Amino acid sequence: MASSYFIPLLLSLSLPILTFFPSTTLSKLTPNYYQKSCPKFPDIVRQIVQEKQSVVPTTAAATLRLLFHDCLVEGCDASILIASNAFNKAERDAENNLSLSGDGFDVVTRIKTALELQCPGIVSCSDILATAARDLITIEGGPYYPVRLGRKDGLVSKAELVEGKLPRPKMPLTQLIALFASKKFTVQEMVALVGAHTIGFAHCSEFSNRIYNFSKKTKVDPAYNPKYAEGLRKLCSNYTKDPSMSAFNDVMTPNKFDNMYYKNLQRGLALLASDQALAVDKRTRPHVDLYATNQTKFFQDFAHAMEKLSVYKIKTGRKGEVRRRCDAFNNLKTA
């Protein structure tokens, strides 16, 4: 396995009940959906994510990112988990998803395996992913928020559907705002959701231009704190030979879900260009400044936005299925 190198990141949350989704869709979802059909569901999820996180501390960030990449493409339907086959190149093999950590996939697989032994054919992979992400956030110190259950797993997973639907590290802020707006998220909700970077990491290739080749006048982006930039240059010095080399987005508290990410943005410690833009643009800076000084408000807004995200374009009824295994549709698709 290729070696990885990190500099720190993390975040937290807590939340109210949603009122902004069509009742016809959300009425089919409830936090107690499995109370009778699989009563041990929450306990099994909690136990497995705790075990996995204690062994692999990057599991929380990996799982949260996996949820984002799933929901923002075709909705929260576990289509990101489908493996490609001879007949179909699935979402997970799209270029934008190749950097997704295997630990997120692994923890979902472990949970699904345990649940199939306990209550076969009952719990969807999309419900597992949404719940695991929430539980891992709370384990890392973040806020708890209710996850409505009863999603079905999607019946489509195609790599070509990914392009243009996910944020990119070098994406201009206006484009980033437009992307989230197309999914009915406000600027404030976008800034809160990006706070997830407090427990994430980025590969050196995603910010190398800021530390080695920023412009004709300077190799290093002057927005960086000089000592931070120097540390990044040393950390990533061999990244072209080792693509796995990475840095945590939050250099101060890498293993704590808190509001330090926003404080870092104010101090020249924004790892990605898209993060740096949040700190200076008049559309986003007020939210950054608020969250940097008020962690409670950040937790509330993050949790609210996460609850909204977790039910984005969900599938219910005959529009989906409960997969027997998360990486394959129940029926092989040959077209």
Side-chain angles (χ1 to χ4, degrees):
M1 181 177 179
S3 58
S4 296
Y5 303 82
F6 299 98
I7 295 180
L9 161 133
L10 224 92
L11 104 83
S12 354
L13 39 105
S14 59
L15 172 63
I17 296 298
L18 291 185
T19 57
F20 37 69
F21 284 97
S23 58
T24 53
T25 298
L26 285 188
S27 63
K28 298 180 181 180
L29 270 62
T30 168
N32 301 318
Y33 188 83
Y34 298 112
Q35 189 169 21
K36 293 182 179 180
S37 59
C38 192
K40 292 186 178 180
F41 165 70
D43 297 330
I44 289 173
V45 174
R46 192 175 304 111
Q47 178 183 347
I48 292 177
V49 298
Q50 286 177 337
E51 292 173 352
K52 175 74 176 179
Q53 180 67 16
S54 66
V55 176
V56 185
T58 55
T59 298
T63 307
L64 183 54
R65 188 174 181 223
L66 191 62
L67 177 67
F68 269 66
H69 282 232
D70 181 45
C71 293
L72 292 178
V73 177
E74 288 299 297
C76 304
D77 62 357
S79 53
I80 188 66
L81 303 178
I82 292 293
S84 297
N85 58 35
F87 306 102
N88 179 54
K89 183 179 180 181
E91 279 180 34
R92 67 195 292 176
D93 288 321
E95 181 183 355
N96 292 3
N97 288 329
L98 294 178
S99 62
L100 289 172
S101 169
D103 293 309
F105 293 96
D106 179 66
V107 75
V108 172
T109 298
R110 293 187 186 200
I111 295 168
K112 180 63 172 176
T113 300
L115 288 170
E116 286 300 298
L117 293 173
Q118 182 68 34
C119 39
I122 299 297
V123 182
S124 68
C125 300
S126 48
D127 277 347
I128 291 172
L129 178 56
T131 304
R134 188 275 312 279
D135 286 358
L136 284 160
I137 287 168
T138 59
I139 288 173
E140 291 295 271
Y144 175 91
Y145 57 93
V147 174
R148 299 189 182 194
L149 303 169
R151 298 167 187 75
K152 290 296 191 293
D153 299 323
L155 302 173
V156 175
S157 179
K158 295 184 177 294
E160 62 262 30
L161 297 176
V162 175
E163 184 61 34
K165 295 181 180 178
L166 294 173
R168 302 301 298 267
K170 300 173 186 177
M171 184 176 284
L173 185 58
T174 295
Q175 189 177 347
L176 194 62
I177 290 173
L179 187 152
F180 276 89
S182 71
K183 303 176 191 304
K184 310 303 181 184
F185 287 93
T186 66
V187 172
Q188 172 263 314
E189 289 170 334
M190 181 196 74
V191 175
L193 286 172
V194 174
H197 282 176
T198 193
I199 56 168
F201 58 87
H203 291 91
C204 292
S205 59
E206 296 178 325
F207 56 89
S208 60
N209 65 306
R210 295 189 70 202
I211 56 176
Y212 295 125
N213 189 33
F214 183 69
S215 70
K216 293 181 179 180
K217 294 183 178 180
T218 175
K219 293 182 178 180
V220 178
D221 185 344
Y224 271 134
N225 174 291
K227 291 185 177 180
Y228 181 51
E230 182 181 353
L232 290 174
R233 285 171 61 87
K234 291 180 180 178
L235 177 79
C236 297
S237 60
N238 203 37
Y239 85 96
T240 55
K241 295 181 180 179
D242 184 359
S244 70
M245 296 183 74
S246 308
F248 279 110
N249 293 325
D250 178 356
V251 70
M252 304 304 292
T253 54
N255 298 308
K256 184 182 178 184
F257 203 100
D258 56 17
N259 67 333
M260 185 60 71
Y261 164 78
Y262 298 102
K263 295 180 181 179
N264 290 341
L265 298 187
Q266 300 173 322
R267 301 168 179 169
L269 303 177
L271 184 64
L272 304 174
S274 55
D275 291 339
Q276 175 60 31
L278 296 178
V280 297
D281 191 281
K282 63 181 181 180
R283 294 167 292 181
T284 52
R285 182 173 179 175
H287 304 298
V288 170
D289 292 345
L290 173 60
Y291 295 151
T293 58
N294 190 334
Q295 180 168 278
T296 299
K297 177 61 174 172
F298 164 54
F299 282 10
Q300 290 174 344
D301 288 352
F302 178 84
H304 188 261
M306 280 299 296
E307 190 182 1
K308 180 176 177 177
L309 174 70
S310 70
V311 293
Y312 178 68
K313 292 180 67 175
I314 55 168
K315 312 299 187 294
T316 58
R318 295 181 179 179
K319 294 181 179 180
E321 64 182 5
V322 175
R323 291 184 205 139
R324 288 185 288 271
R325 44 182 293 166
C326 293
D327 63 352
F329 299 116
N330 289 343
N331 297 308
L332 179 64
K333 297 181 183 297
T334 59

